[in-house]
Amino acid sequence: MGPSPPGPSARGVELRPKLRGFEFWRRTLGAARHVVAPMVDQSELAWRLLSRRHGAQLCYSPMLHAQVFVRDANYRRENLYCEVCPEDRPLIVQFCANDPEVFVQAALLAQDYCDAIDLNLGCPQMIAKRGHYGAFLQEEWGLLQRMKIDKTVRYAQMLEKAGCQLLTVHGRTKEQKGPLAGVASWEHIKAVRKAVSIPVFANGNIRSLQDVERCIQDTGVQGVMSAEGLLHNPALFEGRSPAVWELAEEYLDIVQQHRCPLSFVRAHLFKLWHHTLQVHQQLREELAKVKTLEGLAAVSQALKLRCQEDMRGQEEGAGPAGDLPFFHWICQPSLRPGPREHSSGRSKRALEEEASPVESLSKNKQKKQLRNPRKTFDPSLKPKYAKCDQCGNPKGNRCVFNLCRGCCKKRAFRETADCPGHGLLFKTKLEKSLAWKGVQPGLQEPPQAGPGAAGGCSPVGSALA
């Protein structure tokens, strides 16, 4: 990752030298120590501006797909070009890519709108595996079940040698996600920092400003990146834990000026009000259903009023409920449950099934069942279909060839045959065509068109082809 030099002007102005390593970090990125992580659908312009108001010194864009960015002008405009704002600098644009040429093209298209370009080598999600990017690019260098420290160090050194000017280390393997996230390894981060001569950012285990300072001290990194912690408390880098409604209202005001999809705003409010929604669950449903920005603001205001009622009704000397460090109306991190004992390497779905012995439906299936109450997802109740002899798709029950419609159509066309089951009447139509021409089928061939003929038999020729 590094800044892209400005392109030469029409007058042939000489290119400025490219800043590297620590000089790039100090002069281009302003020696940033507090960094907002790239978050898909979550680190949009409005959220970045809110974070900068509360101590963030550097922000990343959401991850963009390099290939789509290169080919789709609307994608470029909606995700970067229309989000230009003088207050939103320094800014690093992150791409996922697995083709060097496409990555360079995307970087050239983005270079005038940011201060540096980042290549995602850390996304562990299934979509990254299917697209072969993010953490799964590590497989090109060696597939590992658990990356040892020495292997991690050599991986970082290889990236530095390839031209990387700043490196962010997440301190987790690609298997550590969701319920299996666990604790990030600062030992790995520290080892990488000692082994490379470029600036390093650390990410993982950051829930407060004290964690930020301790991470810098323990690992020696130049800066600390936060994602989950900032989503619950955008004032984390200020060392404050304000009332949730204070930041929720400020964010909604910014969204009025810098619009973004409603789903982004809803997701941010769910994070900010996370602990309060555990108490006032009826408003959780309201927050999920409203379909306008005004509606979201109204639900946020209702949550504020409920919190203020809870504050007035709080008994003197009482502490927060459960294991929370503060009352639910105060911005604070949400602690993920750790991996279950003996569950290492098990999938999220397996953990969910274990946590809920009674068979339950996914949210998507529940929505389908609401639309159609008679719909069932029991595999044993699904109708059994006989398979096509050629392709394996369900065959037609009345097909004369025991094929699916696609295969049946090809065969019937080739053999000039009929299949009433699929409504294919190639033979019947040919016979009717010949009869219309006054020729009895099977007794003589249709006349051949001469050089000067008008070509009146072309439909027949087409049917026989």
Side-chain angles (χ1 to χ4, degrees):
M1 174 183 67
S4 300
S9 68
R11 298 178 181 178
V13 176
E14 187 177 351
L15 293 176
R16 292 181 300 182
K18 179 177 178 178
L19 303 180
R20 299 183 179 277
F22 282 91
E23 189 180 13
F24 154 64
W25 172 64
R26 283 190 293 267
R27 293 176 57 183
T28 302
L29 302 184
R33 289 160 59 91
H34 300 160
V35 186
V36 177
M39 296 174 282
V40 175
D41 297 345
Q42 296 281 262
S43 59
E44 82 285 357
L45 175 60
W47 189 258
R48 297 197 300 265
L49 292 177
L50 176 69
S51 302
R52 291 181 189 276
R53 290 183 183 182
H54 295 282
Q57 299 163 336
L58 169 65
C59 293
Y60 280 68
S61 74
M63 181 188 74
L64 305 177
H65 289 257
Q67 193 170 40
V68 182
F69 194 85
V70 168
R71 73 167 184 258
D72 192 335
N74 288 332
Y75 184 82
R76 293 195 294 271
R77 183 170 59 253
E78 292 170 2
N79 290 279
L80 183 61
Y81 294 176
C82 286
E83 291 202 345
V84 175
C85 181
E87 296 84 13
D88 188 34
R89 304 297 282 266
L91 174 69
I92 296 179
V93 170
Q94 185 186 74
F95 287 109
C96 65
N98 53 25
D99 184 320
E101 293 184 4
V102 173
F103 180 47
V104 169
Q105 291 176 34
L108 291 174
L109 289 169
Q111 66 177 352
D112 294 333
Y113 300 86
C114 62
D115 299 281
I117 302 295
D118 180 77
L119 175 63
N120 186 322
L121 294 172
C123 180
Q125 303 303 325
M126 186 54 65
I127 189 173
K129 183 175 184 179
R130 289 196 296 267
H132 194 60
Y133 58 80
F136 296 91
L137 287 179
Q138 294 172 5
E139 296 176 4
E140 294 296 315
W141 193 68
L143 180 61
L144 304 168
Q145 292 300 316
R146 290 288 183 270
M147 291 185 73
K148 304 297 182 183
I149 289 183
D150 61 334
K151 196 71 171 179
T152 303
V153 166
R154 285 190 282 131
Y155 186 55
Q157 290 172 331
M158 179 267 292
L159 294 174
E160 180 186 9
K161 186 177 180 181
C164 176
Q165 302 302 322
L166 188 152
L167 187 64
T168 300
V169 184
H170 296 280
R172 291 186 175 96
T173 65
K174 62 178 178 289
E175 290 81 15
Q176 289 180 275
K177 57 185 177 181
L180 301 175
V183 178
S185 171
W186 285 2
E187 285 298 316
H188 283 69
I189 299 174
K190 181 178 180 180
V192 169
R193 175 66 206 94
K194 288 182 175 180
V196 298
S197 58
I198 56 177
V200 174
F201 288 164
N203 174 246
N205 309 341
I206 304 301
R207 302 189 185 97
S208 66
L209 185 60
Q210 290 75 22
D211 290 337
V212 173
E213 300 301 332
R214 187 165 57 88
C215 181
I216 292 175
Q217 183 177 355
D218 291 356
T219 62
V221 294
Q222 279 61 54
V224 171
M225 174 186 286
S226 178
E228 193 79 13
L230 282 174
L231 290 176
H232 290 280
N233 181 13
L236 183 152
F237 287 135
E238 285 183 321
R240 295 194 309 124
S241 293
V244 173
W245 61 80
E246 176 187 327
L247 294 177
E249 290 173 353
E250 185 177 1
Y251 171 65
L252 290 170
D253 287 342
I254 297 174
V255 171
Q256 292 285 358
Q257 302 173 19
H258 303 281
R259 294 283 178 151
C260 63
L262 197 68
S263 60
F264 296 9
V265 183
R266 192 194 313 274
H268 281 303
L269 292 179
F270 265 112
K271 290 287 187 181
L272 287 170
W273 288 108
H274 173 79
H275 297 293
T276 298
L277 290 171
Q278 310 304 310
V279 178
H280 301 289
Q281 295 189 9
Q282 68 276 19
L283 288 174
R284 183 184 188 89
E285 295 298 321
E286 291 297 319
L287 188 60
K289 290 178 180 177
V290 292
K291 300 187 182 300
T292 64
L293 182 61
E294 293 72 21
L296 291 175
V299 177
S300 185
Q301 179 66 19
L303 285 164
K304 173 184 176 180
L305 295 176
R306 294 289 182 90
C307 289
Q308 291 174 339
E309 290 176 7
D310 293 345
M311 291 171 64
R312 287 191 293 268
Q314 189 70 39
E315 296 181 6
E316 188 175 351
D323 298 328
L324 296 181
F326 307 111
F327 292 106
H328 64 79
W329 54 81
I330 300 297
C331 288
Q332 56 194 298
S334 173
L335 302 180
R336 288 184 179 181
R340 293 177 176 273
E341 191 175 355
H342 308 305
S343 65
S344 178
R346 301 173 65 185
S347 68
K348 179 180 179 182
R349 179 168 294 181
L351 289 169
E352 290 174 347
E353 290 173 354
E354 181 181 325
S356 178
V358 180
E359 186 174 352
S360 58
L361 298 177
S362 66
K363 290 182 180 179
N364 191 32
K365 289 181 179 178
Q366 288 176 16
K367 290 178 183 177
K368 290 181 179 179
Q369 206 165 48
L370 282 174
R371 292 194 295 266
N372 182 9
R374 288 181 288 181
K375 189 172 183 65
T376 178
F377 297 97
D378 187 349
S380 63
L381 298 179
K382 287 187 177 180
K384 302 290 191 266
Y385 296 103
K387 292 184 178 180
C388 169
D389 293 342
Q390 291 187 5
C391 68
N393 288 326
K395 73 172 185 179
N397 291 331
R398 295 183 297 165
C399 178
V400 297
F401 300 118
N402 290 321
L403 301 174
C404 67
R405 194 179 196 284
C407 296
C408 176
K409 185 176 182 180
K410 293 177 183 177
R411 181 168 175 179
F413 179 80
R414 187 172 60 250
E415 299 180 5
T416 318
D418 288 349
C419 177
H422 281 124
L424 301 173
L425 304 174
F426 291 107
K427 180 180 178 182
T428 300
K429 289 180 179 179
L430 176 61
E431 290 174 348
K432 286 183 178 180
S433 177
L434 293 175
W436 184 75
K437 290 293 184 182
V439 180
Q440 294 298 323
L443 297 179
Q444 66 182 66
E445 294 292 328
Q448 299 293 326
C457 293
S458 58
V460 178
S462 174
L464 291 172

